[in-house]
Structures are given as C-alpha cells and as structure tokens.
C-alpha cells in the first residue's frame, strides 16, 4: 500500500497557445487625493496617491493592470515595454 503524497497534485495545464500580438496598450496616470487630508505612516506624509493603469488589448480581450507608483512608470510602459 502506498502512503498518500503530502504534495498537492499539479494543476492541469492547457496546451501552450501561440503568441498573440498586442493590438493596443492604453496607459493612464491617475493622482488620487487622500480622503481626509494628509496621511502618514510615521516615516512620510502625503496628500495624494499616484497610480499607473495599463490596459492591453489582444486577441479580442482586454486586460487590466495597475500599480501605486510614480507617474514616470507610464513612460517606461509606453517607451520600453510597448514596443517589445
């Protein structure tokens, strides 16, 4: 008799798909004011949060990704990642 394995079974994997070309890449920068004035974590104080939002479109589908990061990151997406 064989003891049950402690490792979970590997998930089923679909056959690899051919690469799909990105048709469009929308990039936006949003600056959101804090709700109740300046906020602090004990090391810094801020009154707004910046988000970079990316919407890639490929194969009839649109994705959505975002990060709380400096607005300059939008340029990295547009100028370096999008052409790749």
């Amino acid at each position: 008799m064989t003891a049950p394995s402690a490792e979970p079974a590997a998930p089923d994997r679909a056959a690899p798909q051919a690469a799909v070309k990105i048709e469009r890449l929308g990039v936006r920068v949003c600056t959101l004011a804090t709700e109740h004035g300046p906020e602090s974590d004990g090391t810094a104080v801020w009154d707004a949060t910046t988000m970079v939002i990316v919407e890639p479109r490929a194969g009839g589908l649109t994705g959505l990704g975002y990060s709380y990061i400096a607005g300059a990151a939008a340029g990295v997406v547009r100028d370096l990642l999008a052409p790749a």
Side-chain angles (χ1 to χ4, degrees):
M1 179 175 243
T2 304
S5 172
E7 295 181 31
D12 291 336
R13 302 277 186 217
Q17 299 290 320
V20 177
K21 184 176 184 340
I22 294 178
E23 301 154 5
R24 183 182 63 80
L25 189 65
V27 181
R28 291 182 285 161
V29 177
C30 298
T31 301
L32 311 166
T34 55
E35 189 173 359
H36 301 289
E39 296 182 358
S40 173
D41 64 1
T43 61
V45 178
W46 60 91
D47 59 5
T49 299
T50 302
M51 292 177 66
V52 173
I53 303 168
V54 179
E55 293 179 285
R57 179 154 182 83
L61 300 173
T62 300
L64 177 69
Y66 67 92
S67 183
Y68 297 100
I69 194 166
V76 173
V77 173
R78 276 190 219 102
D79 300 339
L80 297 176
L81 299 179

